Amino acid sequence: EEIIRNRISHKVQTESITQYSPCTSYRELEVAIAYGSSFCSDLGSRSDADDRVSSLIAAVSEKYQQDGLCVKVIISHLEGHCDSSSDPYREFVSMNLSGCGNVGLLHMVKDYWMNFRIDVHRDTMLFFSGTGLECTDEDTCLIGCGYRGSLCHQDYGFAVNHVTFT
């Protein structure tokens, strides 16, 4: 896990383009990321899933820098679960409730992290799923939500996303 995290953090830092940024100094936003087996399955392998995470965070970091927010987004922790039989999030995802206005994935991920990952250093936590939530048809699914106004709040800095949505 340590090797993966360092490799991805390095990739995010080197992929971020700062040449167009008006910032002379940056704050760092440390993001802990977990992804479930559906995310890994959709992308084909752990390596592909890790690369997708890296690319997404690099794009967010670049956007925050170019928009003058003067923030670099850094991956502080990464855990990926590619085996559905040992994926601790699989049960939460299979409930098919996002937690956006109901009790669902967002709340379950938050509770899991508050019970089993409390020692992970982070400013916020993102969960990536390859499964759409609360789909009414093939094209109408919720693609994510988080607690409002809680980006750096240890108890509520959580978000869940259907990342493989296009």
Side-chain angles (χ1 to χ4, degrees):
E1 178 178 300
E2 188 69 28
I3 294 169
I4 291 171
R5 187 186 79 205
N6 287 338
R7 177 177 60 84
I8 289 178
S9 273
H10 175 72
K11 187 172 181 180
V12 168
Q13 290 167 359
T14 57
E15 285 183 7
S16 293
I17 300 170
T18 58
Q19 62 190 0
Y20 302 110
S21 175
C23 304
T24 57
S25 64
Y26 298 88
R27 291 174 289 147
E28 288 186 349
L29 176 64
E30 295 181 318
V31 180
I33 297 175
Y35 60 80
S37 54
S38 62
F39 179 75
C40 192
S41 177
D42 277 1
L43 291 166
S45 70
R46 179 178 304 277
S47 176
D48 291 341
D50 288 346
D51 286 347
R52 178 66 185 255
V53 167
S54 178
S55 295
L56 289 168
I57 297 304
V60 169
S61 189
E62 181 179 327
K63 180 78 171 150
Y64 282 9
Q65 292 168 49
Q66 289 179 349
D67 286 353
L69 294 176
C70 304
V71 173
K72 287 186 179 183
V73 182
I74 305 297
I75 297 172
S76 65
H77 174 87
L78 174 64
E79 64 177 64
H81 300 276
C82 292
D83 180 358
S84 63
S85 66
S86 62
D87 177 0
Y89 304 102
R90 189 183 72 150
E91 178 183 341
F92 310 152
V93 171
S94 68
M95 290 175 56
N96 196 31
L97 296 171
S98 63
C100 311
N102 54 36
V103 175
L105 182 59
L106 177 62
H107 304 92
M108 303 297 178
V109 167
K110 174 191 169 291
D111 289 347
Y112 181 83
W113 272 67
M114 296 304 288
N115 287 316
F116 301 107
R117 300 291 188 266
I118 195 71
D119 60 335
V120 172
H121 179 77
R122 63 180 171 80
D123 293 316
T124 194
M125 185 275 173
L126 303 176
F127 175 76
F128 294 161
S129 172
T131 302
L133 300 167
E134 300 176 36
C135 302
T136 55
D137 60 43
E138 190 174 307
D139 296 324
T140 309
C141 301
L142 291 173
I143 59 170
C145 65
Y147 292 100
R148 184 172 291 174
S150 61
L151 183 61
C152 293
H153 191 285
Q154 285 295 306
D155 293 338
Y156 291 98
F158 295 89
V160 297
N161 302 280
H162 175 202
V163 178
T164 55
F165 177 79
T166 56

